[in-house]
Amino acid sequence: MDSASFHSANVPVSGEATSHQQANCHACVFKAQCLPAELDGEELADFERAVLHPPRPVKAGQVLVRKGDAVHALFALRVGSLKAVINAADGAERVVGFRYPGAVIGLAESGHKVWARTFVTLESAWICRIPIDALNHTLRRQLVHLMSACLRREYDHHLTLAFHTNAQKVASFLLEISEYRQRRHLAAQRFTLPMSNLDIASYLGMRHESLSRTFGTLHSRGLFYKSGKRIHIPDLEALRALRSE
Amino acid sequence: MDSASFHSANVPVSGEATSHQQANCHACVFKAQCLPAELDGEELADFERAVLHPPRPVKAGQVLVRKGDAVHALFALRVGSLKAVINAADGAERVVGFRYPGAVIGLAESGHKVWARTFVTLESAWICRIPIDALNHTLRRQLVHLMSACLRREYDHHLTLAFHTNAQKVASFLLEISEYRQRRHLAAQRFTLPMSNLDIASYLGMRHESLSRTFGTLHSRGLFYKSGKRIHIPDLEALRALRSE
DNA sequence: CGCTCCCTTGACGACTTTCAATGATCGTGG
DNA sequence: CCACGATCATTGAAAGTCGTCAAGGGAGCG
């Protein structure tokens, strides 16, 4: 497994799960990096039992749920990545979030009847269904923990979007992923971005031209290198300094 | 009671609650506008039982909880308003949210040990304590609902902060309050803003000079009038049109 | 009455967006 | 295996929005 990538090299790009693929996936399912990092010990064990249902494979670019769909289940993202999008008034798609392995999809939906956002896979993924009926008392307790962590992240995003320059937004974005990977003991300085620059720019509230220019600036300052979708951050501290300048 | 104000005219500005004031407040406590609008029927009744503890008065400008404090309780805001602030890297105070009557304070804290933000009263307020121990199964279920609603609002804020011009941000902000008041059957076109322009500007990620100019622009376009802290929105639809231009 | 804090207004400059064109990359099909 | 089209990424020049700096005015409070 390529530890510098978001997904296992063994994950099939499409098709039904074969017994071999299923085995591969189950091997991964129980790795720490595929489970919520906010829970630990007994809580994590409880949570695992609840999402034991075998994950199903989802092809890249697929819509997992669409805004307006009835909420029948939440989802646990085990392998791959997603983007959360909202259609703006002008019909344009706006990215409001990314999700990586270990995320629970639908925290903002657990008290509602319909989905408020559309979730689209950025690459081939493995995803567990958590039926709403399965939300017993124990699981709801874990859910409260996950949601409060999610809320805190959103307040950080508020700060970033409201007060940072474009360069700082990009630094924040890169560090957010890097720190996510660090918590899961994955390579934090070299990894692949699963999303396009268009998506990143939308997420950060900038034009993709500005993002491209910002990447160029960071490159010339030696803070960040990008080749295709693979990136390299030589000095995390320098990037952190830029973020909080 | 001034229906166009966030707080009852009878609320004392300071001091211990007298029996008369207490009675006044309890009369208000059970009004719909002082309870979470996200819950209804049985859930709301459950919630009310949990926050039956008599509210205590808090003077304007007081710190309710400080970032870093241990989490012993959540709070239910019954009367008055709060701002949530974070100290930026440069030490400056950044407003990341406002809270109005009916809000539960600490949704982002319910799964954590310490407070991530500081909450400060903007005016004299009445606030109930909800001890963490009181979070039984039933109450936790209501909490999930409140948190998911809170998360949805944060995603809307993401859109506003990332993609809107200053004029649109201001329109969003005014409409957010107006729509809050509409849900609670309060005057939606004339009301008092409990916070300073400085706080609003910080919340929206703009300079207070820019906010002042934007208010001027909206005024000259006849979309919005301001006199002291009292504002008047003659045409909500026109403001909505501006928001989603 | 004087202090402090808040709001307003002006001129200037920096950062970002916009518009336009070119170049790269990737998946598809011949 | 290569050619093709579509999507994505890069770069330039011009325009606009917004932030910065500075000064003056006003409201509330002790």
Side-chain angles (χ1 to χ4, degrees), chain A residues 190-209:
Chain A
R190 289 179 193 276
F191 47 91
T192 358
L193 294 178
M195 70 293 282
S196 71
N197 279 12
L198 240 38
D199 285 336
I200 299 173
S202 174
Y203 177 62
L204 296 177
M206 33 193 295
R207 302 292 114 168
H208 74 280
E209 295 97 326

Side-chain angles (χ1 to χ4, degrees), chain B residues 195-210:
Chain B
M195 70 295 280
S196 71
N197 278 11
L198 240 36
D199 285 336
I200 299 173
S202 175
Y203 176 62
L204 296 176
M206 35 194 293
R207 300 296 115 168
H208 73 280
E209 296 97 325
S210 298

Side-chain angles (χ1 to χ4, degrees), chain A residues 121-227:
Chain A
T121 49
L122 292 167
E123 53 188 335
S124 56
W126 288 91
I127 299 176
C128 299
R129 245 178 83 92
I130 310 176
I132 285 288
D133 311 334
L135 292 186
N136 54 21
H137 293 165
T138 308
L139 199 53
R140 218 183 306 273
R141 189 192 184 101
Q142 311 349 333
L143 217 51
V144 167
H145 280 211
L146 294 175
M147 290 171 86
S148 66
C150 192
L151 265 168
R152 289 192 167 194
R153 275 195 298 275
E154 290 305 318
Y155 293 127
D156 288 343
H157 291 160
H158 184 121
L159 278 185
T160 300
L161 290 171
F163 301 106
H164 286 186
T165 64
N166 277 355
Q168 289 176 305
K169 287 183 187 176
V170 173
S172 278
F173 170 73
L174 294 172
L175 287 168
E176 184 182 328
I177 300 182
S178 177
E179 285 159 7
Y180 161 92
R181 296 179 60 89
Q182 204 149 34
R183 280 195 301 275
R184 285 151 202 269
H185 308 98
L186 300 169
Q189 299 186 234
R190 289 179 193 276
F191 47 91
T192 358
L193 294 178
M195 70 293 282
S196 71
N197 279 12
L198 240 38
D199 285 336
I200 299 173
S202 174
Y203 177 62
L204 296 177
M206 33 193 295
R207 302 292 114 168
H208 74 280
E209 295 97 326
S210 297
L211 178 64
S212 180
R213 278 185 250 269
T214 304
F215 277 157
T217 308
L218 293 181
H219 182 98
S220 69
R221 293 175 57 180
L223 290 169
F224 161 77
Y225 299 97
K226 189 167 192 274
S227 155

Side-chain angles (χ1 to χ4, degrees), chain B residues 20-66:
Chain B
H20 173 239
Q21 286 161 349
Q22 198 74 267
N24 263 341
C25 183
H26 270 113
C28 176
V29 158
F30 296 107
K31 282 179 172 296
Q33 58 252 43
C34 302
L35 286 166
E38 292 82 6
L39 306 178
D40 55 3
E42 196 181 335
E43 286 194 347
L44 190 58
D46 285 341
F47 190 84
E48 279 193 64
R49 275 190 288 279
V51 293
L52 256 183
H53 313 283
R56 68 184 173 90
V58 182
K59 283 188 269 194
Q62 296 282 101
V63 171
L64 179 65
V65 288
R66 198 177 296 277

Side-chain angles (χ1 to χ4, degrees), chain A residues 17-24:
Chain A
T18 67
S19 62
H20 175 240
Q21 287 160 348
Q22 199 73 267
N24 264 341

